């Protein structure tokens, strides 16, 4: 094993350790190398990429199948190279319907430097947004097999996407998460949970496997203490940091156009401060 392999194994072990230790942790979602380095400089312990944030940065809408696997893997590599933290990759639906596509995508993400990654059961097609149950389970099994073939502990997250694709079927969502856990997924994740009862039910259904909950996606606004009390292990923020950054950009631009003033720049981090955050060594 060479030096790069050693570093990746250390990151993988560290990431797995965050899921095994007591308490909750946050894995924020950078969309490029710069935002990743900023988050690392602030003291976060691990990062996860965001497909939506990446799509926005490339001038593409999210969720329409326009982001390519090549673009995603390059982004994973850029972020993993920029920081010394563990990086988990948002790998959407594995960039293909077939289970083998999921397996290939896991291996490509690992080769790019990721030590974890997620596979979702959304098809990317509005007419038929969620894969059938049996195929969804087969896809996770293929991803698990690929992850276990790696020379380090790759942390695989399985996502059940019903609730954010107009299929408000909580029972089916839990059924899928349980099946994904039984198929070998290391972490379970159903974006769109909005109540304490839903979160607690998911945590209990897949125990002892850890559960990821996303904040900043909808009206659910629980504190870390509240989520920990419900049994949540990991919290991500999806595209919310990217949207926050782009919102500031849009508001500032609108101020210039509408009023001819530049008040948007007040209170922002200085040039020197941001430079200093990016100058830190890996």
């Amino acid at each position: 094993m060479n030096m790069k392999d050693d570093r990746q194994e250390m990151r993988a072990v560290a990431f797995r350790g965050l899921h095994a230790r007591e308490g909750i942790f946050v894995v924020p979602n950078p969309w490029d190398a710069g935002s990743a380095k900023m988050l690392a400089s602030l003291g976060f312990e691990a990062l996860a990429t965001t497909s939506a944030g990446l799509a926005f940065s490339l001038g593409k809408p999210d969720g329409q199948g326009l982001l390519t696997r090549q673009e995603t893997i390059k982004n994973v590599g850029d972020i993993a190279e920029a920081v010394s933290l563990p990086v988990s990759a948002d790998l959407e639906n594995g960039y293909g319907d077939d289970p083998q596509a999921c397996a290939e995508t896991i291996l490509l993400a690992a080769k790019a430097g990721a030590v974890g990654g997620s596979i979702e059961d959304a098809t990317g097609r509005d007419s038929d947004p969620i894969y059938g149950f049996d195929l969804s389970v087969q896809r996770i099994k293929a991803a698990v097999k690929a992850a276990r073939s790696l020379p380090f502990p790759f942390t695989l997250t399985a996502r059940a996407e019903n609730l954010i694709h107009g299929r408000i079927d909580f029972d089916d969502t839990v059924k899928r998460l349980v099946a994904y856990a039984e198929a070998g997924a290391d972490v379970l994740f159903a974006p769109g949970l909005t109540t304490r009862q839903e979160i607690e039910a998911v945590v209990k259904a897949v125990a002892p496997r850890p559960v990821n909950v996303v904040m900043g996606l909808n009206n659910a606004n629980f504190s870390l203490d509240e989520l920990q009390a419900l049994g949540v292990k990991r919290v991500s923020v999806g595209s919310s940091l990217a949207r926050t950054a782009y919102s500031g950009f849009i508001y500032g631009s609108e101020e210039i156009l509408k009023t001819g003033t530049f008040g948007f720049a007040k209170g922002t981090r200085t040039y020197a401060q941001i430079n200093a955050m990016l100058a830190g060594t890996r």
Side-chain angles (χ1 to χ4, degrees), residues 13-36:
V13 171
F15 193 49
R16 187 60 63 91
L18 292 175
H19 294 82
R21 75 182 186 188
E22 291 294 319
I24 197 168
F25 72 100
V26 179
V27 55
N29 304 88
W31 58 96
D32 60 11
S35 56

Side-chain angles (χ1 to χ4, degrees), residues 2-246:
N2 62 35
M3 187 177 297
K4 182 179 179 180
D5 293 333
D6 288 340
R7 289 198 302 266
Q8 190 169 20
E9 182 173 15
M10 287 189 292
R11 295 186 200 194
V13 171
F15 193 49
R16 187 60 63 91
L18 292 175
H19 294 82
R21 75 182 186 188
E22 291 294 319
I24 197 168
F25 72 100
V26 179
V27 55
N29 304 88
W31 58 96
D32 60 11
S35 56
K37 290 190 74 171
M38 292 178 192
L39 289 169
S41 75
L42 291 171
F44 288 100
E45 298 177 277
L47 305 174
T49 67
T50 160
S51 62
L54 172 60
F56 300 158
S57 74
L58 296 176
K60 299 181 178 185
D62 184 47
Q64 298 182 19
L66 300 178
L67 195 64
T68 69
R69 182 163 69 176
Q70 182 179 6
E71 288 167 336
T72 292
I73 297 302
K74 181 182 184 303
N75 180 249
V76 170
D78 289 344
I79 289 174
E81 181 64 27
V83 298
S84 59
L85 298 179
V87 174
S88 183
D90 179 348
L91 300 173
E92 300 196 275
N93 68 351
Y95 299 96
D97 298 335
D98 189 80
Q100 186 57 31
C102 297
E104 292 169 356
T105 299
I106 292 294
L107 297 179
L108 287 170
K111 184 177 181 180
V115 298
S118 61
I119 296 290
E120 61 192 44
D121 57 13
T123 66
R125 297 184 289 272
D126 291 340
S127 60
D128 183 25
I130 304 296
Y131 290 111
F133 179 83
D134 290 342
L135 177 58
S136 295
V137 174
Q138 292 170 16
R139 285 160 44 81
I140 295 303
K141 286 182 177 179
V144 168
K145 183 177 180 181
R148 299 295 176 264
S149 74
L150 295 165
F152 60 84
F154 187 97
T155 298
L156 179 71
T157 299
R159 296 176 46 149
E161 302 284 293
N162 276 336
L163 302 178
I164 60 171
H165 286 276
R167 291 185 52 173
I168 312 305
D169 188 338
F170 183 70
D171 290 342
D172 182 66
T173 298
V174 172
K175 176 184 175 182
R176 286 168 177 267
L177 292 175
V178 170
Y180 301 161
E182 292 174 348
D186 300 300
V187 181
L188 289 308
F189 180 18
L193 301 176
T194 59
T195 69
R196 287 178 171 82
Q197 291 77 16
E198 288 176 345
I199 295 170
E200 193 168 34
V202 165
V203 169
K204 288 181 178 179
V206 302
R209 298 291 171 89
V211 169
N212 183 97
V213 169
V214 61
M215 288 288 104
L217 179 68
N218 49 36
N219 292 328
N221 187 25
F222 302 108
S223 69
L224 286 180
D225 287 343
E226 289 172 324
L227 291 170
Q228 180 170 279
L230 294 172
V232 174
K233 174 57 63 176
R234 191 177 83 190
V235 178
S236 57
V237 295
S239 66
S240 62
L241 287 176
R243 287 185 286 109
T244 298
Y246 283 122

